[in-house]
Amino acid sequence: MRGYGLHRVLAARATAVGEGTVRGTLLDLRHYPGLVDGTGRVHGEVYRLDDPELLAVLDRAEGYNFERRRATVTLADGRRVRAWIYRYRGPRERATPIADGDYR
């Protein structure tokens, strides 16, 4: 998201579409958030990739504890789109659930 470390990877090679939500639970992993399966809604930002090679760059930047998957995202205007998201699959011992699903 804007204002966080990995946004620099997106900034030059992607176009912001807007804010959106996806089904799941958001965890605070102390230095960054992690999306896991759940029944709540998680808030985030949606981008259109201008460079198809950016997916491989994002995969490396996210690291081995995150897995890229397709999901249905609901945009702020109510439209639903298919998008790539990263789900957290690492250790959760120190994770704290974020009840409202918004890391900001």
Side-chain angles (χ1 to χ4, degrees):
M1 291 192 309
R2 291 176 307 243
Y4 293 96
L6 291 181
H7 185 262
R8 64 179 163 63
V9 177
L10 289 171
R13 297 163 47 182
T15 303
V17 173
E19 295 187 7
T21 62
V22 65
R23 179 179 298 278
T25 295
L26 192 61
L27 302 177
D28 184 343
L29 301 167
R30 296 201 174 183
H31 300 291
Y32 47 85
L35 169 66
V36 296
D37 290 335
T39 58
R41 300 299 296 175
V42 174
H43 301 264
E45 296 173 352
V46 179
Y47 290 84
R48 180 177 36 262
L49 304 184
D50 300 325
D51 179 354
E53 294 179 18
L54 185 54
L55 276 177
V57 173
L58 290 170
D59 289 347
R60 285 190 299 278
E62 288 290 347
Y64 61 88
N65 280 331
F66 290 86
E67 174 184 43
R68 178 170 39 97
R69 291 191 200 166
R70 290 286 242 170
T72 299
V73 177
T74 304
L75 299 176
D77 66 5
R79 289 182 297 143
R80 295 168 53 123
V81 297
R82 296 287 289 167
W84 291 111
I85 62 168
Y86 285 90
R87 289 208 179 262
Y88 181 69
R89 60 182 181 184
R92 299 182 188 182
E93 295 82 33
R94 295 181 167 184
T96 304
I98 299 172
D100 68 359
D102 191 341
Y103 191 64
R104 292 193 190 275

